[in-house]
DNA sequence: CCTGTATTGAAGACCACACTCGTTC
DNA sequence: TAGAACGAGTGTGGTCTTCAATACA
């Protein structure tokens, strides 16, 4: 975690949650406050914040080092050439709504003991209740049972073959990562593993129904309390590999990229079809633990960047592009690095939020037919209800 | 090929209000 | 010169409206 980074909302606490919809880093308290404000904000998909860069949503959690990493940091830190390449890693799933601390821990399959959280009232009066039992998620208001939450949690340990077996046999609860060293690379090569993508969740609409509002504050306030370990400094994780790790591998001509695809089907399998990307040698030697679609369920470039996927994969012109000899001269390596940094600077996302606080306010502000209304005015408009007030 | 109608998608307007920034004292 | 006070302008998101482009008879 980058020191000095503060919650975008309160500006006081250290952020641990990344809200993709808000493009904001929030502490747990503000995450709950902001996303329990109304039914719309409850839909925001959130995940952990990358411990290393503190600016991207975490995609995987290194079980060896107890750190959450975005795709970029994961690649950098677990490059095949590094000692950490064999670290067992676990995908980190998004959540929405307002789950309790215990449920969060369950979503991420982390060992978390929070008796106070278990006793915490989960829902507010008048809003559908949710509970989790052995048979899945139930909605007290009569909504269809939906196992999306547990699916997300259960698919977390996809790098563990024992876990995979458990998943397939329906043994869903109390999954714990086995302390074995296995590269997460195997994950991307395991198409049989059930993987709930954002698309899946949104398409069936179930993700919206499983959570409820809870005005009570979370019983844990910081990262240490949730995960039981302090943040591990970047220096402890990586040997200053940084972006250089991108360029320490054998290069491959871009022109050959497409031509190689048929000969390397695993490449296109690992990368989701919708991304239509070619990931050369990097794919084979590194540990990509997620398909892109599994990360975001979206396919535009901005979102891939948002979820931590290197822009190198999006440009079709990665810096490990080859010289004729197929190896990097020191000069071309430098130029490749500079080109990469330049492209990174020029990266543009779909929408840039200049003031996170204003966005947070707008998210919780009352509306009628999409328009803001005065705070004191009668408010009987429910966007999820057909009977509207005109 | 031209015309009229229906459909689709994109762009902009609208709203309240916290916040930013420049000006004045 | 520094700080406070003030006011004008900005930015934020969901929904609706408008209009251009396209498809079809």
């Amino acid at each position: 975690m980058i020191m000095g980074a503060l919650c975008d909302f309160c500006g006081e606490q250290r952020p641990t949650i990344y809200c993709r919809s808000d493009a904001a880093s929030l502490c747990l308290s503000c995450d709950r406050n902001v996303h329990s404000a109304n039914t719309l904000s409850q839909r925001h998909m959130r995940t952990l914040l990358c411990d290393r860069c503190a600016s991207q949503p975490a995609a995987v959690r290194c079980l060896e080092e107890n750190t959450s990493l975005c795709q970029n940091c994961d690649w950098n830190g677990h490059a095949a050439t590094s000692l950490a390449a064999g670290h067992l890693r676990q995908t980190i799933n998004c959540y929405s709504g307002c789950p309790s601390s215990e449920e969060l821990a369950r979503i991420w399959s982390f060992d978390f003991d929070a008796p106070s959280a278990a006793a915490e009232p989960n829902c507010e009066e008048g809003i559908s209740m949710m509970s989790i039992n052995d048979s899945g998620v139930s909605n007290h208001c009569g909504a269809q049972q939906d196992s999306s939450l547990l699916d997300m949690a259960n698919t977390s340990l996809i790098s563990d073959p024992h876990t995979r077996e458990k998943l397939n046999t329906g043994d869903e609860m109390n999954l714990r990562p086995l302390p074995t060293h296995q590269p997460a690379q195997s994950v991307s090569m395991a198409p049989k593993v059930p993987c709930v993508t954002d698309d899946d969740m949104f398409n069936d609409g179930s993700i919206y129904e499983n959570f409820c509002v809870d005005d009570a504050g979370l019983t844990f306030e910081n990262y240490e309390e949730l995960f039981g370990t302090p943040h591990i400094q970047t220096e402890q994780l990586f040997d200053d590999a940084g972006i250089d790790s991108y360029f320490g591998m054998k290069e491959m001509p871009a022109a050959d990229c497409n031509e190689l695809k048929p000969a390397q089907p695993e490449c296109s399998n690992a990368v989701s079809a919708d991304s239509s990307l070619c990931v050369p040698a990097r794919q084979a030697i590194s540990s990509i633990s997620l398909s892109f679609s599994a990360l975001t369920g979206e396919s535009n470039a901005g979102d891939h960047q948002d979820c931590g996927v290197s822009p190198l994969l999006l440009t079709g012109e990665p810096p490990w592009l080859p010289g004729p000899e197929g190896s990097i001269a020191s000069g071309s390596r430098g130029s490749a690095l500079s080109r990469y940094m330049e492209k990174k600077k020029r990266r543009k996302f779909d929408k840039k939020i200049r003031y996170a606080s204003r966005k947070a306010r707008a998210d919780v502000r009352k509306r009628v037919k999409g328009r803001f209304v005065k705070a004191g005015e009668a408010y009987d408009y429910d966007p999820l209800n057909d009977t509207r007030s005109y």
Side-chain angles (χ1 to χ4, degrees):
Chain A
M1 176 75 69
I2 294 175
M3 299 303 291
L6 297 174
C7 170
D8 286 336
F9 191 72
C10 66
E12 296 174 358
Q13 299 287 333
R14 183 172 54 186
T16 57
I17 303 295
Y18 183 86
C19 175
R20 194 179 302 280
S21 302
D22 293 335
S25 303
L26 303 170
C27 66
L28 289 167
S29 293
C30 292
D31 172 52
R32 168 161 293 200
N33 290 336
V34 169
H35 294 105
S36 65
N38 56 45
T39 54
L40 297 177
S41 59
Q42 286 177 63
R43 301 178 184 179
H44 290 183
M45 299 302 295
R46 287 107 69 199
T47 187
L48 287 172
L49 192 62
C50 175
D51 285 339
R52 190 187 182 202
C53 65
S55 63
Q56 294 290 321
V60 299
R61 180 169 177 83
C62 177
L63 299 177
E64 311 292 332
E65 297 161 336
N66 271 345
T67 54
S68 305
L69 303 171
C70 67
Q71 200 74 41
N72 268 335
C73 295
D74 179 42
W75 285 0
N76 290 341
H78 296 99
T81 54
S82 74
L83 295 175
H87 284 182
L88 180 63
R89 300 193 297 291
Q90 163 183 351
T91 59
I92 295 177
N93 296 299
C94 297
Y95 69 95
S96 64
C98 197
S100 70
S101 52
E102 187 183 39
E103 290 158 0
L104 278 178
R106 191 174 300 178
I107 288 171
W108 292 318
S109 302
F110 301 156
D111 190 15
F112 174 59
D113 181 23
S116 58
E120 174 186 3
N122 200 32
C123 290
E124 183 178 49
E125 266 190 29
I127 300 177
S128 62
M129 302 285 288
M130 180 195 77
S131 64
I132 297 178
N133 54 35
D134 288 345
S135 60
V137 179
S138 63
N139 189 309
H140 291 205
C141 282
Q144 286 289 332
Q145 285 196 357
D146 192 298
S147 58
S148 295
L149 176 65
L150 295 179
D151 283 344
M152 287 189 290
N154 293 338
T155 54
S156 298
L157 297 172
I158 54 180
S159 61
D160 180 5
H162 297 281
T163 302
R164 250 179 273 157
E165 185 177 349
K166 277 188 173 184
L167 289 174
N168 291 333
T169 57
D171 186 3
E172 299 177 338
M173 304 304 294
N174 302 321
L175 296 178
R176 294 288 305 278
L178 298 179
T180 56
H181 289 256
Q182 179 161 348
Q185 176 185 345
S186 60
V187 172
S188 60
M189 307 304 176
K192 290 181 180 181
V193 174
C195 189
V196 177
T197 68
D198 288 354
D199 271 347
D200 296 329
M201 291 182 289
F202 282 101
N203 285 343
D204 65 16
S206 59
I207 192 65
Y208 300 142
E209 301 173 1
N210 282 338
F211 297 96
C212 61
V213 176
D214 185 357
D215 282 345
L218 285 174
T219 56
F220 53 87
E221 290 290 331
N222 54 44
Y223 189 96
E224 288 85 351
E225 191 172 348
L226 176 60
F227 302 111
T229 60
H231 287 269
I232 297 178
Q233 297 304 311
T234 301
E235 294 76 18
Q236 296 175 255
L237 296 174
F238 315 115
D239 298 328
D240 293 328
I243 191 61
D244 282 355
S245 62
Y246 270 110
F247 308 107
M249 65 192 69
K250 188 173 181 178
E251 292 182 342
M252 183 178 292
D256 296 338
C257 186
N258 291 333
E259 297 172 5
L260 289 175
K261 273 188 174 179
Q264 296 179 334
E266 65 277 13
C267 174
S268 57
N269 285 342
V271 178
S272 63
D274 63 327
S275 60
S276 301
L277 303 174
C278 179
V279 186
R282 176 80 199 178
Q283 189 91 33
I285 63 175
S286 67
S287 50
I288 297 173
S289 58
L290 289 174
S291 71
F292 297 151
S293 59
L295 271 173
T296 66
E298 297 161 356
S299 58
N300 64 65
D303 286 324
H304 285 313
Q305 292 167 343
D306 187 46
C307 69
V309 175
S310 169
L312 306 177
L313 301 177
L314 306 173
T315 62
E317 193 181 355
W320 55 76
L321 285 182
E325 300 81 19
S327 62
I328 308 174
S330 60
S332 62
R333 181 177 182 275
S335 63
L337 177 60
S338 63
R339 274 190 291 120
Y340 165 71
M341 297 306 289
E342 188 63 26
K343 281 185 178 179
K344 193 173 183 179
K345 282 182 182 177
R346 281 189 275 111
R347 263 192 337 198
K348 290 180 180 175
F349 298 95
D350 290 340
K351 185 175 183 179
K352 177 66 177 178
I353 302 300
R354 295 177 59 186
Y355 301 101
S357 60
R358 289 181 176 179
K359 175 175 173 55
R361 292 286 180 184
D363 280 341
V364 302
R365 187 157 293 160
K366 295 174 180 175
R367 309 164 190 270
V368 172
K369 296 166 97 172
R371 296 183 178 183
F372 297 126
V373 296
K374 290 183 180 179
E377 286 186 354
Y379 174 65
D380 59 351
Y381 170 66
D382 182 357
L384 298 179
N385 194 332
D386 287 339
T387 59
R388 301 181 175 183
S389 60
Y390 291 103

